Amino acid sequence: MNDNTLIEEIFPLQHPLMKRLFSDEVLKHKESAYGQAVFFVYDDPKVIAAKIVCHANSEVSYGSSRVDVLLKYGSDYKSCLIIATFLYSQSLAQIRSLLTSPNEVEDIFDHIIGSTNGFILYAYQFEQIVQMLLDVPLETAIALRKAFNRRKPLNEYCGIDDEKLAQFLNALDKYLAFDCVYTPNYSGASNLMLYAERQV
């Protein structure tokens, strides 16, 4: 098999690749689960994205043409970061929309979300906007982000001004891409960029 070919496979969680990708804490309570990964190069695999699935019959597409399809809409690093981060959590159509349909951004938010086409995608962006609009320390911003991702009401946090919170929720309505924010998959993006460069 060509080293430049993308591979998507399912592995038992005891497989060394899965142990490299997921913490022991994640793996230990998953008795009937498997790991699914998109990677290239069998020797020392360069993993682009991975997830844990609950059965071995998860749909895999060998060659992972969906990644190649998405790369047609941009193979710069920021596009690779979006693709690698959301490949297993969002549909191809949603990722393609992120890459091709920029959101109009107010100047005050441009330095935070301009690089992600005007969308709040990542945890750090959420936290930076919280700090800017609510004037709270980073620890509170992180707590609010965790509460948001767990779908807990943000107005339960004492000491946050209702008017500022309304302004923040309005910004979420306008700029949030999905119903939660993610940790960027930097290693997957670097590997995807390497893959894209090998295709040229």
Side-chain angles (χ1 to χ4, degrees):
M1 184 176 287
N2 189 317
D3 275 355
N4 293 350
T5 302
L6 274 184
I7 308 147
E8 186 167 10
E9 285 192 10
I10 288 180
F11 300 86
L13 294 189
Q14 299 76 27
H15 191 281
L17 182 59
M18 294 297 102
K19 293 191 173 191
R20 193 179 96 187
L21 295 173
F22 298 105
S23 69
D24 290 341
E25 190 64 32
V26 170
L27 298 177
K28 72 178 181 182
H29 299 300
K30 308 279 185 184
E31 291 179 10
S32 60
Y34 295 82
Q36 186 168 330
V38 175
F39 62 97
F40 72 104
V41 186
Y42 262 107
D43 300 328
D44 186 26
K46 303 289 186 288
V47 177
I48 290 159
K51 68 174 179 178
I52 292 192
V53 296
C54 290
H55 52 79
N57 298 322
S58 179
E59 184 179 330
V60 295
S61 48
Y62 293 92
S64 301
S65 59
R66 55 192 175 156
V67 179
D68 290 315
V69 166
L70 290 171
L71 280 173
K72 291 179 182 177
Y73 300 99
S75 55
D76 59 325
Y77 184 78
K78 73 174 186 177
S79 299
C80 288
L81 188 58
I82 290 171
I83 294 167
T85 302
F86 298 103
L87 186 64
Y88 277 138
S89 62
Q90 305 299 332
S91 71
L92 289 187
Q94 288 171 306
I95 300 171
R96 187 169 58 240
S97 178
L98 284 177
L99 297 172
T100 60
S101 305
N103 204 3
E104 198 170 314
V105 185
E106 293 175 51
D107 289 344
I108 63 166
F109 299 114
D110 189 59
H111 68 289
I112 299 175
I113 59 175
S115 66
T116 51
N117 289 346
F119 294 100
I120 302 170
L121 301 178
Y122 305 126
Y124 74 87
Q125 294 174 312
F126 185 99
E127 291 160 11
Q128 287 175 358
I129 292 174
V130 165
Q131 287 185 280
M132 183 175 72
L133 294 182
L134 301 183
D135 192 26
V136 295
L138 179 59
E139 294 77 16
T140 303
I142 292 171
L144 279 169
R145 187 255 303 161
K146 289 179 178 178
F148 177 79
N149 276 354
R150 292 176 184 143
R151 297 177 175 55
K152 294 183 177 177
L154 301 185
N155 59 0
E156 291 180 358
Y157 279 79
C158 298
I160 295 177
D161 180 81
D162 286 344
E163 190 175 323
K164 287 182 178 179
L165 183 59
Q167 186 183 5
F168 173 67
L169 294 175
N170 185 53
L172 289 185
D173 285 342
K174 188 170 182 182
Y175 299 116
L176 192 69
F178 307 116
D179 59 358
C180 61
V181 288
Y182 293 73
T183 301
N185 180 3
Y186 295 117
S187 62
S190 297
N191 289 334
L192 184 53
M193 193 73 201
L194 179 62
Y195 168 77
E197 289 169 350
R198 288 187 177 193
Q199 303 313 298
V200 177

